[in-house]
Structure formats: C-alpha cells, structure tokens
C-alpha cells in the first residue's frame, strides 16, 4: 500500500472510496480517529494533514500519535488555518468560535496549532505563516510546514 488514509466519518470514507476507485490507485482507507492511530510505532515515512487539526477533539493526542507512528527522520507535512496574532481578528475569532464550531462541524477558529506543533516533541519544525486570500478574514491566518520526527 503506497497511501493510507485515516477518516473517522463513515460518509467521508464512502466519498474517499469512490474517488480512490476512480483514480485506480491502491489506497487503504482506515476507520479511525487521529487520537488513536491503529498502527505500530515507526510505521510511516511521512504523514500529511490538511485543514483537520482545527477540529480534532484532542490536538495534543493527535500530534503525539503522529510522532509515534512516524519513522525516525520521518516528516509530518501540514497545512492548517490557525489563530490570528493579537488584534481585532483574534478578538473576533474568540467571540465567534462557539457559534463557528457548531456551524463548521467542530472547527476551532482560535486554536493555536502552530504552538502545539512546536511543543509536540518533533526534532525540528519549519513553519511559514501566510494569509489565505480566498478565506474569510476570521479564518485567513494559515500555516504550512514540516515537522521532523
């Protein structure tokens, strides 16, 4: 298997299965949450996360699991929207987060994902911050980067 996907939602797993079938690629789709990955230690060369860390129930557990299943010198690539720095945008993120979280299926506007990745025990973390121009201002602050096991 060249690619393993982890998806807790049955509806999203069905969508993934249809797309993967159309591509004709060999992909394993695993029913699990990131907080408890059903893989042995040191299983993967790389892990990719795109716009999901905002909505996991226990970010620190997910990051610990990613670190656990990465092979030594493995890479965790990520792209996430994050909490804004100090200022009006951060104030609006904090005020709107409870309503946004209900509307956007658990997404947190004000989660400091960058800080949590930095503290998660990776040997090296490289992060670039930017503003996603097509997003509303309250979820425009974004990061892309890599963390090495």
């Amino acid at each position: 298997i060249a690619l393993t996907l982890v998806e807790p939602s049955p509806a999203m797993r069905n969508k993934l299965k249809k797309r993967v079938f159309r591509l004709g690629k060999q992909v394993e789709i695993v029913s699990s949450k990131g907080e408890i990955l059903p893989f042995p230690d040191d299983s993967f060369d790389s892990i990719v996360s795109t716009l999901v860390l905002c909505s996991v129930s226990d970010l620190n557990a997910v990051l610990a699991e990613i670190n656990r299943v990465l092979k030594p010198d493995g890479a965790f690539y990520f792209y996430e929207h994050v909490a804004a720095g100090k200022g009006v945008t951060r104030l609006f993120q904090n005020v709107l987060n409870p309503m946004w979280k209900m509307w956007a299926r658990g997404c947190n506007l004000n989660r400091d994902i960058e800080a949590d990745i930095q503290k998660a025990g990776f040997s090296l973390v490289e992060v670039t911050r930017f503003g996603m121009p097509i997003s509303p201002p309250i979820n425009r602050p974004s990061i892309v980067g890599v963390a090495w096991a």
Side-chain angles (χ1 to χ4, degrees), residues 11 15 17 21-22 27 32 35-37 43 47 68 72 83 88 99 104 106 116-118 130 137 141 144:
K15 285 184 179 184
K17 286 176 187 174
F21 179 77
R22 283 191 305 232
V27 176
S32 185
E35 292 87 348
I36 306 169
L37 295 173
S43 295
I47 294 175
R68 179 185 69 77
V88 175
M99 182 175 53
D116 287 326
I117 292 172
Q118 294 284 0
F130 65 100
V144 64

Side-chain angles (χ1 to χ4, degrees), residues 114-137:
E114 179 179 358
D116 287 326
I117 292 172
Q118 294 284 0
K119 294 184 287 190
F122 294 100
S123 64
L124 176 65
V125 179
E126 299 171 2
V127 177
T128 300
R129 292 185 70 91
F130 65 100
M132 179 54 72
I134 61 171
S135 296

Side-chain angles (χ1 to χ4, degrees), residues 86-104:
K86 296 176 183 172
V88 175
T89 302
R90 181 64 177 262
L91 175 67
F92 276 110
Q93 286 178 329
N94 290 337
V95 169
L96 295 174
N97 194 63
M99 182 175 53
W100 182 273
K101 192 173 176 181
M102 287 187 326
W103 176 74

Side-chain angles (χ1 to χ4, degrees), residues 17-78:
K17 286 176 187 174
K18 290 175 186 173
R19 286 188 179 191
V20 167
F21 179 77
R22 283 191 305 232
L23 294 173
K25 304 290 183 187
Q26 187 175 3
V27 176
E28 178 182 18
I29 302 173
V30 177
S31 173
S32 185
K33 290 187 173 190
E35 292 87 348
I36 306 169
L37 295 173
F39 310 108
D41 295 358
D42 306 331
S43 295
F44 296 96
D45 296 314
S46 60
I47 294 175
V48 178
S49 168
T50 57
L51 300 172
V52 296
L53 297 180
C54 62
S55 59
V56 297
S57 51
D58 187 343
L59 178 56
N60 293 320
V62 170
L63 294 171
E65 281 292 275
I66 289 170
N67 212 349
R68 179 185 69 77
V69 300
L70 271 176
K71 291 179 181 178
D73 296 322
F76 167 44
Y77 299 96
F78 52 87

